[in-house]
Amino acid sequence: MAKIQAPVKIKDVLYVTFTDLTHEGKAVAKVEGYPLFVEGALPDETGEIEVTKLNKGYGFAKLIRLDQIVPERVVPPCSVYDECGGCQLQHMTYEGQLKMKYNQVRNVIDRIAKLPDVPVHPVLGMEDPWRYRNKAQVPVGMNSGHIVAGFYKKRSHDIIDMTECLIQHEQSDNIIQKVKDVCAANGVMPYDEQRHKGVLRHVMARIGYTTGEMMAVLVTRTAELPNKEAIIKGIRDAIPGITSIVQNVNPDKTNVIFGNQTRTLWGEDVIYDLIGDVKFAISARSFYQVNPVQTEVLYGKALEFAGLTGDEVVIDAYCGIGTISLFLAKKAKEVYGVEIVPQAIEDAKKNAALNGITNAQFQAGKAEEVIPAWYKQGIRPDVIVVDPPRKGCDDALLQTILEMKPKKVVYVSCNPGTLARDLRVLEDGGYKTCEVQPVDMFPQTTHVEAVAVLTL
Ligand code: SAH
């Protein structure tokens, strides 16, 4: 192995000034140009660190002591913030978080897309950046003789017992606690990962923010749930207003949460929620945006950028359960959605019917294959909306867009880096990026979404 050339050694203790924050929320300290990544510090703070790991070109250190702190620093309100790892920015004010996310988007638009003149607007944040998630899923296990439910401790499979998670809906906390208690009271053993024994593996809670409907999902190793009737009654008594109790069976030795078999134990198979005035049916296994409030903000921007008058043909690539397609359908002539997961397409069709929307069509398949086929069939979109996964658009899809020449492209992105890369490809193909609007869908975490609009 080639020797690593670094100006520091493992276990060196150094006094540093932090200069930057990575997109993972780690602070950067540079020693003779060599970056060390440190959790828990913020730019412009100073303090002592101990070097823990050296790689070629960069290393890691742990924070020992902070000396000077910045006004953006706050005491994280969550009691398990350090162990959990689910949030990365709770030690920063919300304003500071939004500023950091803005810088991240601005930076890649300048450096990767090479578009320093394109406006990037301030991040649209939440009025109340807590309790925004509508879906919680936590592992259940045993810890010193007690049944515990919570999150895996960072980089381990030890379960931290947790009574509240400040980014989840309060009712999700309640559902998790009550399901755990009712199961314990009825002799249901938690799953033991080592021995592949026990019953209750995970509890999931889903909440319809606009309807108030609530679903509890018990993921079990065995198809049989001991004392089933007593458990159903116990959960209904403990959680007034619950509308759906579902069991999912996962008999496998695996890290994957869900198995293939799902059955409703009591109540409805789905809960409903609204984004804008479009209603969605959400089953235990459906994909659905986790921050419904900001989803409306993000898709509202996409709709505004699309500038529809009612005459347009729109393609929604990577459409999922059709959230954007249905949101746009009311303002468009026709919408075509494509998505790789067949079950999501089934949900999209059901959601169209649920809303009486008849001008939206959905097809399962790869966007980069289905859209060229549509083009051959004579479908000529005026607007194409893309909302790809983190890796961005497939190059074949970008080339198809350049061939189809829609007047507008609206790009919704969960990864600024791949957004910037793809914008450059579209720019080189003759499109012009007009503006970029970041939206904060995941306060307290480092994730940032953005929507960009391009014209031919
Ligand atoms: N707009 C959707 C979700 C987009 S997330 C919504 O709001 O509900 C990205 C989606 O792209 C996922 O549903 C994923 O399954 C899908 N996907 C990934 N690769 C794809 C491909 N090559 N072609 C079509 N869809 C793809």
Side-chain angles (χ1 to χ4, degrees):
M1 205 174 74
K3 205 163 151 39
I4 290 165
Q5 294 285 335
V8 290
K9 298 190 300 299
I10 301 239
K11 294 213 161 151
D12 275 1
V13 174
L14 314 161
Y15 187 88
V16 296
T17 301
F18 301 99
T19 52
D20 223 334
L21 209 54
T22 69
H23 67 274
E24 290 164 325
K26 293 196 171 76
V28 184
K30 284 195 177 155
V31 182
E32 294 168 34
Y34 180 87
L36 290 164
F37 299 120
V38 187
E39 225 167 76
L42 294 172
D44 298 329
E45 292 187 326
T46 60
E48 242 174 6
I49 59 172
E50 182 182 324
V51 180
T52 53
K53 191 165 187 235
L54 298 174
N55 289 334
K56 204 176 159 192
Y58 64 93
F60 295 90
K62 67 170 190 241
L63 186 64
I64 300 177
R65 171 181 75 83
L66 280 169
D67 186 12
Q68 283 169 39
I69 60 170
V70 288
E72 282 86 41
R73 173 168 293 278
V74 285
V75 177
C78 171
S79 59
V80 292
Y81 175 58
D82 288 336
E83 296 124 285
C84 165
C87 297
Q88 304 84 35
L89 299 178
Q90 279 198 22
H91 59 296
M92 204 176 193
T93 59
Y94 190 50
E95 272 175 4
Q97 295 178 25
L98 294 179
K99 206 170 86 189
M100 168 212 161
K101 292 182 187 194
Y102 170 83
N103 288 341
Q104 201 187 319
V105 178
R106 179 74 264 175
N107 195 347
V108 293
I109 295 296
D110 292 354
R111 276 190 317 109
I112 301 175
K114 304 207 161 41
L115 298 169
D117 298 327
V118 167
V120 174
H121 302 297
V123 183
L124 293 172
M126 294 188 84
E127 219 166 281
D128 176 10
W130 300 99
R131 299 287 186 189
Y132 59 82
R133 282 184 64 101
N134 59 12
K135 182 176 88 169
Q137 50 196 30
V138 302
V140 182
M142 209 59 143
N143 199 335
S144 347
H146 292 286
I147 173 167
V148 290
F151 287 84
Y152 291 120
K153 196 170 172 166
K154 267 184 235 172
R155 294 176 286 273
S156 90
H157 266 211
D158 300 342
I159 297 167
I160 303 170
D161 200 29
M162 173 181 269
T163 52
E164 60 171 9
C165 169
L166 301 177
I167 61 171
Q168 299 288 357
H169 195 286
E170 280 96 341
Q171 282 293 351
S172 290
D173 290 343
N174 189 33
I175 289 171
I176 288 162
Q177 291 306 313
K178 296 292 163 55
V179 169
K180 181 180 83 171
D181 293 347
V182 169
C183 284
N186 285 281
V188 175
M189 291 300 285
Y191 179 60
D192 176 342
E193 216 177 22
Q194 302 295 320
R195 293 163 49 235
H196 195 52
K197 288 268 160 53
V199 177
L200 187 62
R201 300 175 71 128
H202 272 81
V203 179
M204 174 164 90
R206 291 193 107 160
I207 316 290
Y209 269 54
T210 52
T211 59
E213 294 175 351
M214 295 185 261
M215 175 186 279
V217 183
L218 284 64
V219 183
T220 58
R221 181 182 64 86
T222 53
E224 200 210 317
L225 180 64
N227 295 323
K228 189 173 94 182
E229 293 310 320
I231 289 171
I232 293 171
K233 181 170 185 311
I235 293 174
R236 289 181 57 195
D237 288 347
I239 310 163
I242 192 156
T243 49
S244 167
I245 305 174
V246 173
Q247 181 187 5
N248 174 274
V249 184
N250 183 357
D252 298 334
K253 224 175 162 160
T254 170
N255 282 339
V256 176
I257 296 178
F258 292 98
N260 292 327
Q261 210 187 327
T262 305
R263 65 164 174 244
T264 304
L265 297 175
W266 177 85
E268 305 292 325
D269 299 333
V270 296
I271 58 169
Y272 293 95
D273 195 21
L274 289 132
I275 294 190
D277 54 5
V278 186
K279 193 170 187 179
F280 292 90
I282 308 154
S283 70
R285 300 300 314 281
S286 297
F287 173 84
Y288 187 66
Q289 292 283 349
V290 297
N291 183 338
V293 171
Q294 290 300 86
T295 297
E296 192 169 337
V297 174
L298 182 71
Y299 294 173
K301 263 292 157 196
L303 178 65
E304 185 193 315
F305 282 169
L308 303 178
T309 63
D311 296 330
E312 292 83 2
V313 174
V314 180
I315 286 181
D316 178 12
Y318 309 93
C319 72
I321 60 163
T323 331
I324 298 179
S325 317
L326 299 177
F327 204 75
L328 300 185
K330 294 184 175 174
K331 306 270 165 56
K333 188 166 129 210
E334 266 172 299
V335 179
Y336 295 86
V338 54
E339 155 66 44
I340 204 164
V341 178
Q343 185 55 47
I345 288 293
E346 290 310 308
D347 284 352
K349 287 177 180 167
K350 280 190 211 152
N351 288 327
L354 181 67
N355 289 279
I357 292 172
T358 52
N359 62 337
Q361 296 185 41
F362 296 98
Q363 191 170 324
K366 290 185 179 167
E368 60 272 23
E369 291 170 5
V370 171
I371 293 173
W374 282 341
Y375 189 62
K376 282 207 188 91
Q377 288 162 29
I379 294 168
R380 297 287 177 267
D382 301 289
V383 179
I384 174 157
V385 181
V386 298
D387 182 8
R390 290 190 62 77
K391 66 174 194 244
C393 288
D394 193 278
D395 194 55
L397 176 66
L398 295 173
Q399 295 312 322
T400 307
I401 293 175
L402 296 178
E403 262 168 57
M404 290 196 302
K405 300 191 178 8
K407 287 194 283 285
K408 260 187 189 171
V409 178
V410 177
Y411 196 131
V412 182
S413 163
C414 57
N415 182 348
T418 53
L419 167 70
R421 179 200 70 197
D422 293 348
L423 289 182
R424 176 64 4 233
V425 176
L426 293 170
E427 286 267 342
D428 290 342
Y431 279 88
K432 186 181 164 301
T433 309
C434 309
E435 52 189 310
V436 180
Q437 175 64 65
V439 177
D440 190 22
M441 302 276 277
F442 305 103
Q444 320 307 331
T445 80
T446 53
H447 298 285
V448 57
E449 306 251 337
V451 50
V453 57
L454 302 95
T455 54
L456 195 58

